[in-house]
Amino acid sequence: MPEPKHFVPPSMESSSWLPSDLALGLYECPAPYRRLLSDDEFKLCRDTGRFVTLKDVSCDLETVKRRIALSGDSGFAIVNANAAIAAAAMRAGSKGFSGVFTNIHPDLYAWLYKHASEESVLRRDLENFLALAAMAEPMGYPGLAKVWHKRLGTFDSVHSRVTDYDITERHWAVVDLLDHIRRGTDRFRERIKQVS
């Protein structure tokens, strides 16, 4: 039997697979094996000039701050993905939020990004709500987001190759929790509308 041929990708310099002016982004691996960039790997990516964003999954504000400082004015944006530090990361220079709950209430994170440095009761209340709502993430994501969207009518199915079980059986009262999150989301949308 002949030995199988191994695919060897061309080097980045000679590759015609991607246009040389195509901006690239990186997403660190949060699970099942957490893989984060070292500072040296981060600098290497920054120095290529090809990368415009890193979805940071360190879940550590000091790491986010260090990376923001390392990126300097290179155009390599750090986008935090942890709701517990979302507002603090935005205040430190993170260029937005890219966590699980952008599937649920992206507009609230967009508002928070624009107002992260404001000292207001609304901003502080929203920051707390978003962090607490995101604690539902371990209850079967991405199935959790699919249930949310099916209830909204944007999805026809909750099928997921990743969440291959019924989240309502494994995570007790998850639908009740989603109802609380929906009501909280609606209340914050109303509060934001009143100040806009």
Side-chain angles (χ1 to χ4, degrees):
M1 175 177 268
E3 204 166 300
K5 293 182 180 180
H6 296 282
F7 174 75
V8 179
S11 70
M12 285 291 277
E13 293 79 26
S14 65
S15 175
S16 61
W17 290 23
L18 297 175
S20 62
D21 61 345
L22 178 66
L24 302 174
L26 291 170
Y27 175 14
E28 292 179 305
C29 183
Y33 307 104
R34 193 161 186 234
R35 300 286 187 256
L36 304 179
L37 293 176
S38 69
D39 285 354
D40 287 339
E41 291 165 333
F42 178 89
K43 291 180 210 172
L44 179 73
C45 293
R46 176 202 63 198
D47 293 345
T48 68
R50 291 291 305 271
F51 295 93
V52 297
T53 190
L54 167 67
K55 180 175 177 175
D56 176 288
V57 298
S58 68
C59 304
D60 177 69
L61 184 58
E62 294 310 310
T63 299
V64 172
K65 287 179 178 179
R66 186 176 69 253
R67 289 173 169 182
I68 289 167
L70 286 171
S71 71
D73 61 0
S74 68
F76 190 19
I78 310 308
V79 180
N80 165 57
N82 182 274
I85 62 170
M90 291 171 188
R91 287 189 288 276
S94 174
K95 299 300 181 188
F97 180 73
S98 187
V100 165
F101 265 58
T102 53
N103 289 284
I104 307 298
H105 32 228
D107 55 318
L108 297 184
Y109 281 103
W111 188 90
L112 183 63
Y113 180 69
K114 290 178 190 167
H115 302 273
S117 295
E118 289 178 9
E119 267 309 314
S120 71
V121 172
L122 176 57
R123 193 271 305 156
R124 286 191 302 273
D125 288 350
L126 179 61
E127 182 177 341
N128 289 333
F129 169 72
L130 292 174
L132 293 172
M135 293 305 296
E137 288 176 19
M139 299 180 98
Y141 181 77
L144 181 78
K146 292 186 177 224
V147 167
W148 179 272
H149 280 278
K150 184 165 187 218
R151 294 174 84 198
L152 286 177
T154 51
F155 286 6
D156 289 332
S157 169
V158 297
H159 173 74
S160 167
R161 62 183 169 74
V162 176
T163 315
D164 59 355
Y165 58 88
D166 181 345
I167 66 166
T168 63
E169 289 178 7
R170 187 173 297 177
H171 306 289
W172 302 335
V174 68
V175 173
D176 297 305
L177 180 58
L178 287 174
D179 287 339
H180 286 291
I181 292 169
R182 181 189 47 78
R183 285 190 294 274
T185 298
D186 291 345
R187 280 194 296 273
F188 276 102
R189 286 177 177 154
E190 188 58 37
R191 287 177 68 181
I192 287 168
K193 194 187 314 180
Q194 289 172 7
V195 299
S196 295

